Amino acid sequence: MRVLVVEDQKQLADSVARVLRREGMAVDVAYDGAAALERTDLVDYDVVVLDRDLPAVHGDEVCRTLIARESPSRVLMLTASGTVAQRVEGLGIGADDYLPKPFAYAELVARIRAVGRRTRPAVPPVLTHGDLRLDPAQRVATRAGARLPLSPKELAVLEYLLTAQGRVVSAEELLDQVWDEAADPFTTTVKATINRLRAKLGDPPLIETVARAGYRI
């Protein structure tokens, strides 16, 4: 899942980004509304976590602009005001969900996953392929009943390949969807992660390399 966190409190924004990355999400950060609009003009994020009270361009205007652009991104709006009237107003602007501050990180993660599912075709809560099982919510993968020691990034790659349901996924698509802006597009990051994932999945091999096209399960 590709997420944009838009929050002018730098410490909070960076903290949220760290938590989401530990959950296997690819996260970019913007500290004002103008930067958010620039990023969303270049990347179709699954979810935009949008603080309402932003400098440069107000969060309400950012949300309205995304709606006007017919952006596929879902918007989870944050605000220090948790009144019912404020929540209703925020949802009326076009936000998909609304979370008052302060919030628990566990709830934030759950809400991001919930609204993010709306951007993609419906998939079962537990992904399976033969004796391989992946529970995205619990971030647990098993094969033949044994838990696999996968890193957050390896789990994210596995989830993306399983969600593709046999479709060939290019290295560029994986880099765009699983990594964030900090990733160097000219490195062998994707190939190295796939190789580690293959080794941990064991035999018989599950990930197929399709020459000059990408990977699939």
Side-chain angles (χ1 to χ4, degrees), residues 92-187:
I93 292 169
D96 296 275
D97 200 358
Y98 204 95
L99 186 62
K101 298 177 182 177
F103 49 80
Y105 284 135
E107 182 179 6
L108 175 64
V109 169
R111 286 176 180 261
I112 289 173
R113 292 197 185 282
V115 297
R117 284 194 291 269
R118 302 175 196 170
T119 66
R120 303 183 180 192
V123 296
V126 177
L127 303 170
T128 62
H129 182 86
D131 61 355
L132 174 66
R133 291 172 55 85
L134 171 61
D135 184 333
Q138 297 299 319
R139 311 307 295 160
V140 173
T142 63
R143 188 168 191 192
R147 183 164 179 167
L148 300 170
L150 303 184
S151 70
K153 197 60 68 180
E154 290 160 358
L155 275 166
V157 169
L158 181 60
E159 180 182 355
Y160 198 83
L161 291 175
L162 286 170
T163 302
Q165 300 179 330
R167 177 176 63 84
V168 176
V169 178
S170 69
E172 291 77 12
E173 182 178 348
L174 282 171
L175 193 65
D176 182 62
Q177 294 297 320
V178 179
W179 279 265
D180 53 38
E181 63 183 356
D184 184 347
F186 300 105
T187 67

Side-chain angles (χ1 to χ4, degrees), residues 157-158 161 194 197-198 201 205-209 215-217:
V157 169
L158 181 60
L161 291 175
I194 289 286
L197 183 56
R198 276 197 179 110
L201 290 176
L206 292 177
I207 301 176
E208 176 188 0
T209 298
Y215 309 95
R216 68 180 170 199
I217 291 181

Side-chain angles (χ1 to χ4, degrees), residues 29-109:
V29 179
Y31 302 113
D32 61 59
L37 290 176
E38 290 177 3
R39 292 180 183 277
T40 54
D41 194 37
L42 298 173
V43 178
D44 287 334
Y45 293 95
D46 294 296
V47 179
V48 176
V49 180
L50 180 65
D51 182 44
R52 192 169 188 184
D53 300 313
L54 290 171
V57 178
H58 195 273
D60 290 358
E61 187 57 34
V62 173
C63 187
R64 290 190 185 98
T65 301
L66 292 177
I67 298 299
R69 289 178 182 171
E70 299 183 351
S71 168
S73 303
R74 299 294 181 174
V75 176
L76 171 58
M77 191 169 279
L78 306 175
T79 183
S81 175
T83 66
V84 172
Q86 287 283 342
R87 292 198 297 271
V88 169
E89 184 180 2
L91 293 170
I93 292 169
D96 296 275
D97 200 358
Y98 204 95
L99 186 62
K101 298 177 182 177
F103 49 80
Y105 284 135
E107 182 179 6
L108 175 64
V109 169

Side-chain angles (χ1 to χ4, degrees), residues 6-25:
V6 190
E7 168 61 62
D8 63 315
Q9 298 179 42
K10 188 176 186 300
Q11 185 174 359
L12 176 59
D14 294 345
S15 178
V16 168
R18 284 194 298 271
V19 169
L20 299 184
R21 287 176 183 135
R22 285 201 298 267
E23 292 293 322
M25 302 180 195

